[in-house]
Each structure stands twice: as C-alpha cells, then as structure tokens.
Amino acid sequence: MSAAIQIESLGKRYRLGLTHAGSIRELVNRCADRVRGHSKGPDTHRNNGRSAKAADGHVWALRDVSFEVPAGEAVGIIGRNGAGKSTLLKILSRITWPTEGRAVLDGRVASLLEVGTGFHPELTGRENVFLNGAILGMTKAEVRRKFDEIIDFAEIEEFIDTPVKRYSSGMYVRLAFAVAAHLEPEILVIDEVLAVGDAAFQRKCLGKMDDVARQGRTVLFVSHNMGMIERLCGTSVLLTGGQMTAMGPTAEITRMYLGLAAETELDWSNPAEAGAAPRITRVRLCDDAGQSVNYITTACTPCLEIECDIPQARPDFRLAFALHDWQERAIFASSPVDSDMPGPVEPGLHRYRARFPGPILMPQRYSITVSLYSTYAESVDHRPHVLRFDVAEVASLANAVGSRVGVLQMQAQWSHIMTGVMESKIDG
C-alpha cells in the first residue's frame, strides 16, 4: 500500500522570544544568512529526550522525526504537552516550514488544528464553507453538493448567514469539523480542538472519522484522550520531547505513554526509624496481586495498600482512608471495619489492602488521605493527600455511548418491574 504521508528526519527549531518563528520574514533572513555564508549548522545538543535548548537561544520543538502513514489508515499522535505534536501537524498542514528534513503528502489535506482555523471572521458561515472548499481546490458545484450535509452535521442552520466572528467556540468547532470532514480531502488532520465540543458532538465526530477512514482516506489524530485514540486508530506514534519514541499498535503505544506520564506519588513511605510512637510507614497503589502500578486508568480496579507500625497493644486504634477529587473534596472513605476486620491493635507491623469496588474512577486528578486514629478522638498519624494521581481515560464505562458524568463511573442495578397499558378516563 502506498504511503499517504512520508516524514523524513523532520525537525523544527524556534528562536526563543520570537512569536513568528515560521514567518516569511524569518525565511528570507535565513536565506540571506546562507547567501552571506553566516548560516549556522544545525544544533546537536540534546537533553535526555526533552526539547533541546541551544546556547544561542534556540529550542528544537521537533528533531529527527521519521515515519510513514499508509493511505487509508487512521494514525494517532500521542505525547505530553510540549512533545511536539502540534508543531508536527502545523508542518504537515503547511502552516509552518520545517528547519530540516521533509514531509511529503500525497493528496489534499484538510486540517482542524485550533478553533476557527481557516475561517475569515468577517465572512458568514456559508461564505467560509465555500472559501474552505476553494482552498482545497474544489469547485463551487462540488461544495454545493456537500453543503446541506455539512450544515446538517454542524447543526447551525439558523446561524449559517451570520459572520463567524459572532459564533461561540462550540459553533466554530462544529462548522470547522463539518467542513474538514465532508469536503473529501485525502488526508484529514485533527488536533485536540475536538475537546471544545460536548460529549455528544465528540461521539458524532468520532463516528464521522471512522467513516472517513473506511472510505480509504487517511486520518492523523492528536488527543490526550486515550479512549478516543484507541477507538479510532489502529496505529499510533509516541512523541517525547520533540523526538519519536515509538510507533506501533495503539494499545502498546498508549501503555508506553501512560508509563512515561505516570505521576510519582503512587508510592509513599515514611523514612522515620522505628520507635516508640505508632506511625503509618507506607501507602501505595497496587493491583490485586500486590504489584506496584505506574499509572491508573478508567479501566483499572486499583488496590490501596497501607502499612503501619504499632509498638504496643492499642485496642482503641483504627485505620481509615478517604478518596478526594481534584478540588480535594472527599468522595468516599473506608476502613477495615467495612469488612468486619479489627484495626491495627496488636503490636507489630500491620499491612492492609483495600480493593476499590470495580473500575469506578473518572478521568481526573485524585488524592488519598490516610489516618491512624484512636476511638478516643485522638489523631495518631494523619497523612492528608499522601498520594496524588491522575486517571487516564481509556476504553471503559467513562467514554461509552451515553458518556457518564460525575466524579465516579458507577452502574446501578436496574430491574423492569412492570409493563402495562395506561387506562383512559372519560369525564361525564
């Protein structure tokens, strides 16, 4: 199968402090420097995978990136903020030019990189649809055949003759995506901008991108939502610090990404030496087998393991933990008493493991507080927010059809208790 996108040793260097690093003026100045013999060779400094900052005030947003995308394939681009994802898409969309290497694209490219990309604010939605079609090389007749379908998808028929400068960000995105997806480009490039839309619109867009890919067109998709990436893309590319770390099956690449993006606060230990005072010695998240984990996803059922050292018998001691949301509001708390177990009352080192009730965590930041206390209302060792962690979204209840809202993804037990016919009453 022929390649729709060929990227060879691609690199992009920016000068710190300049906002138009890819402008025509810089291109002219760089060419003039080369003519005068003042051009500097490419900077070779690297910094353990991070974007390399040169001594002359330059930074490499991308460096030595090479891969191919076969025609008709949907490929995800994954990486943390600053990894170079948006820079790569801007180069492929011809918004900026590479400093080194080359990118060859076989076919028309439609891009949706940020709200309002390619729209003229003074023109109406209708006029911008035809303008974008012209940019893609389509005739008015071709655009007109697709026009009704575009407006139906965008759901903005009432405002189609209003200047787009008066559109909300959601309206912008709906129309921009509808134009990009329906004007039949051979290559569709989509950045994280879909996050602006609501959940129903995101599902609608994913369905349309599925259709586009099945029609043999190429999709390049950037998102921090691993569930979306896994649903749409069979293959993904992982960027780290402007460099390509790996390319392969999406399931493997997302696991690598989640490992790189893991928070370091999943395992806490108390360095204090054993003594006469009772204390919590360790708190960590693990799996059912007790193995430490590097990240938590919406499909995980994590366990919390707590160790505490009790120097002497204390029948009044109790142990508990609380889970907090990103605003540090308590969601729920639990204690060994929930399973009819005694607290750590005997002398020695105690280890407890609490299993969460299924994959209940939504994609957000959480924290865990652990407390060793006395029934005499005495706090013995209180560790507020001792663990902090982000939950990454993968295929799970959290992003299934009818996406869940709230702090936790929970399923209620339903039963159908009646089927009947409404009785009608006639007065008089």
Side-chain angles (χ1 to χ4, degrees):
M1 184 179 292
S2 62
I5 302 173
Q6 291 180 300
I7 297 173
E8 300 175 2
S9 303
L10 201 64
K12 178 63 181 179
R13 187 177 70 166
Y14 290 102
R15 178 175 297 172
L16 296 178
L18 291 183
T19 58
H20 299 287
S23 66
I24 295 176
R25 182 178 64 184
E26 182 186 326
L27 181 62
V28 171
N29 289 340
R30 188 161 59 239
C31 291
D33 285 341
R34 289 174 180 167
V35 170
R36 292 193 296 266
H38 296 159
S39 177
K40 297 180 181 180
D43 178 75
T44 57
H45 293 290
R46 305 242 178 136
N47 189 16
N48 297 326
R50 301 172 186 169
S51 297
K53 180 181 177 181
D56 60 355
H58 289 81
V59 63
W60 286 93
L62 281 179
R63 194 73 191 271
D64 197 25
V65 173
S66 301
F67 63 90
E68 291 187 358
V69 178
E73 188 166 330
V75 174
I77 307 295
I78 300 173
R80 304 188 72 177
N81 290 334
K85 306 184 298 298
S86 295
T87 300
L88 173 61
L89 296 196
K90 286 178 181 178
I91 292 174
L92 297 181
S93 302
R94 302 294 190 255
I95 293 173
T96 188
W97 295 98
T99 306
E100 61 184 20
R102 67 176 190 148
V104 180
L105 291 86
D106 184 12
R108 296 183 303 192
V109 181
S111 304
L112 186 56
L113 306 186
E114 58 187 40
V115 175
T117 298
F119 281 2
H120 192 296
E122 299 295 336
L123 299 181
T124 67
R126 183 187 304 272
E127 291 165 337
N128 272 294
V129 170
F130 282 92
L131 174 62
N132 274 258
I135 291 172
L136 287 173
M138 301 178 70
T139 66
K140 281 188 177 182
E142 289 175 311
V143 177
R144 195 174 290 115
R145 282 197 298 270
K146 290 286 184 179
F147 187 81
D148 289 342
E149 190 176 351
I150 290 170
I151 304 311
D152 287 343
F153 188 95
E155 299 174 359
I156 60 164
E157 183 176 2
E158 183 180 355
F159 306 98
I160 193 60
D161 291 310
T162 300
V164 298
K165 67 181 180 181
R166 298 195 175 97
Y167 284 12
S168 68
S169 59
M171 292 166 64
Y172 251 118
V173 169
R174 290 202 298 273
L175 182 58
F177 180 85
V179 169
H182 287 80
L183 292 187
E184 300 183 350
E186 282 79 22
I187 301 171
L188 180 59
V189 178
I190 305 290
D191 204 346
E192 191 71 53
V193 67
L194 290 184
V196 176
D198 57 29
F201 178 71
Q202 289 179 19
R203 290 194 298 274
K204 191 175 181 179
C205 291
L206 284 174
K208 183 60 181 177
M209 285 191 282
D210 279 334
D211 293 342
V212 168
R214 282 196 295 269
Q215 291 168 8
R217 288 179 276 165
T218 306
V219 178
L220 213 57
F221 183 42
V222 165
S223 179
H224 287 101
N225 185 324
M226 296 300 103
M228 285 188 178
I229 292 283
E230 289 181 346
R231 173 180 164 179
L232 179 68
C233 306
T235 302
S236 289
V237 173
L238 177 61
L239 295 180
T240 307
Q243 297 177 312
M244 193 179 86
T245 303
M247 181 177 184
T250 295
E252 295 179 11
I253 299 302
T254 54
R255 281 197 296 270
M256 291 180 63
Y257 166 71
L258 292 171
L260 291 173
E263 293 292 320
T264 59
E265 299 173 282
L266 299 179
D267 192 337
W268 172 90
S269 60
N270 188 347
E273 296 181 2
R279 65 194 178 95
I280 299 168
T281 58
R282 189 180 185 187
V283 182
R284 71 183 182 113
L285 287 167
C286 61
D287 60 19
D288 281 333
Q291 298 295 316
S292 294
V293 294
N294 294 324
Y295 54 85
I296 303 294
T297 74
T298 53
C300 286
T301 301
C303 297
L304 180 68
E305 199 168 272
I306 306 170
E307 290 182 4
C308 52
D309 183 28
I310 309 299
Q312 57 187 2
R314 287 292 301 263
D316 59 313
F317 273 9
R318 300 290 183 270
L319 185 68
F321 79 87
L323 179 71
H324 305 267
D325 67 8
W326 64 279
Q327 292 180 306
E328 299 188 352
R329 298 174 299 190
I331 300 170
F332 76 90
S334 188
S335 162
V337 175
D338 291 345
S339 298
D340 297 322
M341 303 175 97
V345 298
E346 298 297 328
L349 185 67
H350 297 261
R351 180 181 298 165
Y352 290 85
R353 185 179 299 159
R355 186 178 190 271
F356 281 45
I360 62 172
L361 300 180
M362 293 284 279
Q364 63 158 285
R365 167 158 282 214
Y366 295 90
S367 65
I368 290 176
T369 292
V370 178
S371 186
L372 181 65
Y373 64 97
S374 166
T375 55
Y376 302 133
E378 173 193 354
S379 178
V380 179
D381 193 4
H382 182 63
R383 301 289 174 172
H385 310 292
V386 66
L387 298 184
R388 295 181 185 269
F389 58 98
D390 294 309
V391 173
E393 185 167 19
V394 297
S396 67
L397 287 174
N399 53 32
V401 174
S403 293
R404 314 231 162 214
V405 297
V407 179
L408 301 177
Q409 50 171 335
M410 305 283 284
Q411 287 182 305
Q413 295 298 316
W414 288 74
S415 60
H416 184 201
I417 59 175
M418 187 191 76
T419 299
V421 178
M422 292 291 293
E423 293 184 5
S424 61
K425 294 182 180 181
I426 301 176
D427 294 336

